[in-house]
Amino acid sequence: MYIDYTAAILLLMTVVPLLTVAGVTAYWVIRQRRMGNDSVSEQR
């Protein structure tokens, strides 16, 4: 089976950063909710 490596690399280069951002955002939201610090988000 032939794999188009260029397409696979481009796909990884777009998917990995998106997953990283989504994971960090989810972690941040969960941590903020656990601590109960809603005032931090209101200061922006």
Side-chain angles (χ1 to χ4, degrees):
M1 186 173 97
Y2 174 73
I3 299 173
D4 187 1
Y5 289 102
T6 307
I9 289 169
L10 285 173
L11 190 67
L12 283 175
M13 287 176 67
T14 51
V15 169
V16 171
L18 284 175
L19 287 177
T20 304
V21 169
V24 169
T25 304
Y27 168 75
W28 180 259
V29 168
I30 290 169
R31 199 181 72 169
Q32 291 295 100
R33 281 187 186 166
R34 272 194 198 149
M35 293 173 68
N37 282 345
D38 292 334
S39 60
V40 175
S41 58
E42 291 173 2
Q43 288 175 357
R44 291 182 193 167

